[in-house]
Structure formats: structure tokens, C-alpha cells
Amino acid sequence: MNRIFKSALFGLSLLVFSNTTLKAQEHPPFWQDIQAIKQYDRIYEPPKNPILFVGSSSIRLWVDFTKTFKDYTVLNRGIGGAVTADIDRYLEDIVFPYQPKQIVLYVGENDLLEAGDAEQVFKSIKKLYTDIRDRLPEVPIIYLAIKGSPSRAKEFNKAKEANRWINNYLKDKKNTIFVDVFMPMLDKNGEMNPSIFKADQLHMNASGYAIWNKLLFPHLLKD
């Protein structure tokens, strides 16, 4: 079965599990998504020691993911709508079992809606990073900066400040790279660029991901 069909099937399995009759209060957020991932892994063995892409919907919805990273061993385990604490909660399910050789992490943007300030966003990222490092002290980590989404214009300055906190923390950490996708996504006037987003002005279109791809490729590990 080709990889594109398998990716589509994986997305369908997430949808099925997310619409089960289990009451949400019986489990923590995104529990059904995690069960779908586990079921998928039982059917299709994940690659060994992949570059693991993990985080929120900007990871999950990566345009042409399989085609873009066809020369790499990659695995996408993004969860749409997740905040940093959600990814942290499920490290034993969607990070550690895969024994990744490298991690690409995008999370924190959804935190902006709940966090009182940028420092609170940073503290959640710091805890997630620390929890990953406790188990994977040497695995290279790429953190993609929080993007500025037009639909969340009110959070623009908070995102900018959170990125500053995160960058300052990560810049001297071993085997860790902070990739600034925030500034390159702005237009020539320093404003958010609606043309690189889908109609919802939250999720990127192919042009937005093209910017990310260009910034990310130099840091990815070859097989």
C-alpha cells in the first residue's frame, strides 16, 4: 500500500476515533486521537528511528508531507488543537516509543489563547523540552517558532515575545536549534501575510509551508 494512501487512512482513523461515543470527561483531551495513533501503529509498523514531527495542527496538516520529505525517514504525529501540555502528557505515546533520531517540534501557538502572558507560554515549552530531554538527552531537537496567524492578530505581540523567551532559553542548549519562522512569514512591511494562509487565516497553505521547508531542510538529518 503506498504511503499517500496510508496517510489518508491514518487521517480517517483519527476522525473515526474522535467521533466515538465515549464521553469527553472520561479521558484527558485528545485521548481518542492517541488511541487512533496506537491502532494505526498496530496495523502499519512505523519506521525505525525516524525524524519525528510532533506538535499541533501545523504539523498534522503539513502540505505534501510525504512528498516533501521523501528523501528522509519521517513520521508525522501532529495533533490538531493541542496545546503544549497535551503533547507533554502523551510523550510516552507519541514520542518515546518511536526512538526518534531527531525531533521537529511545533507547539505553543494554541497556548496563546489561554496563557495570561508570553512567559506562561514559555514555561510550558520549557517543561516539555525538559521532559523530552530527561529521556532523550542527545537526540537533536528543532523547535519551530510560533507563527503569526492573521486570525490571531490580537496575540501577535504575545507570540513575538514568547518566541524571544523560547529562543533565549534554547540557544545554548546542546543539540537544539530554534528556527525562526515568525519573521520570514511577514510581508515586506512587517505585517502578517494573509496570502500564505488558508481561508481560515490560521492554517498555512502550500506557500506558507514552502517557507518552512526552506528554513527546515538545512537542519534535517540524512538517513
Side-chain angles (χ1 to χ4, degrees):
M1 184 179 295
N2 63 54
R3 297 173 68 184
I4 295 175
F5 182 77
K6 286 166 65 178
S7 296
L9 185 59
F10 175 57
L12 180 60
S13 65
L14 282 178
L15 181 62
V16 170
F17 270 85
S18 295
N19 286 281
T20 60
T21 57
L22 291 173
K23 295 181 180 179
Q25 63 266 28
E26 294 179 353
H27 301 288
F30 304 105
W31 183 89
Q32 289 95 337
D33 299 75
I34 297 303
Q35 305 317 302
I37 289 170
K38 289 181 175 180
Q39 177 64 20
Y40 185 83
D41 286 346
R42 284 191 286 269
I43 299 172
Y44 302 106
E45 183 178 1
K48 296 183 183 301
N49 308 120
I51 299 174
L52 178 65
F53 286 65
V54 66
S56 54
S57 59
S58 291
I59 293 290
R60 185 176 67 85
L61 300 175
W62 205 294
V63 173
D64 291 331
F65 182 82
T66 302
K67 179 180 178 181
T68 297
F69 302 107
K70 61 182 176 60
D71 295 327
Y72 300 83
T73 300
V74 294
L75 184 64
N76 189 322
R77 286 297 178 261
I79 299 177
V83 298
T84 305
D86 295 318
I87 302 302
D88 201 7
R89 180 185 303 111
Y90 295 116
L91 289 177
E92 294 288 350
D93 301 290
I94 58 172
V95 174
F96 300 143
Y98 301 118
Q99 300 181 327
K101 66 180 177 185
Q102 186 175 34
I103 296 172
V104 178
L105 180 64
Y106 182 80
V107 71
E109 182 177 356
N110 292 328
D111 298 51
L112 297 172
L113 303 177
E114 302 177 2
D117 55 29
E119 185 176 5
Q120 188 177 342
V121 178
F122 159 69
K123 287 180 177 178
S124 294
I125 298 293
K126 180 180 178 180
K127 182 180 184 304
L128 173 61
Y129 178 83
T130 301
D131 289 343
I132 293 173
R133 277 288 176 246
D134 284 345
R135 288 279 298 275
L136 303 174
E138 302 295 331
V139 170
I141 295 175
I142 300 172
Y143 179 82
L144 300 174
I146 298 171
K147 62 179 169 62
S149 301
S151 66
R152 292 176 175 173
K154 292 182 179 179
E155 313 299 335
F156 183 85
N157 289 330
K158 191 189 293 185
K160 191 174 182 180
E161 182 68 6
N163 283 330
R164 185 183 69 81
W165 278 88
I166 298 164
N167 187 28
N168 286 340
Y169 173 72
L170 295 179
K171 65 183 179 182
D172 61 349
K173 298 294 184 290
K174 183 180 178 182
N175 293 330
T176 304
I177 298 171
F178 177 93
V179 174
D180 180 15
V181 298
F182 183 92
M183 295 301 294
M185 293 179 69
L186 302 180
D187 65 21
K188 62 182 181 181
N189 297 317
E191 304 289 340
M192 289 180 286
N193 185 358
S195 70
I196 61 175
F197 287 84
K198 295 180 180 180
D200 63 7
Q201 292 294 283
L202 174 62
H203 300 104
M204 295 180 292
N205 58 29
S207 296
Y209 281 106
I211 296 172
W212 282 29
N213 294 338
K214 182 177 179 180
L215 295 168
L216 182 60
F217 269 123
H219 304 294
L220 295 180
L221 297 179
K222 294 285 188 179
D223 290 340

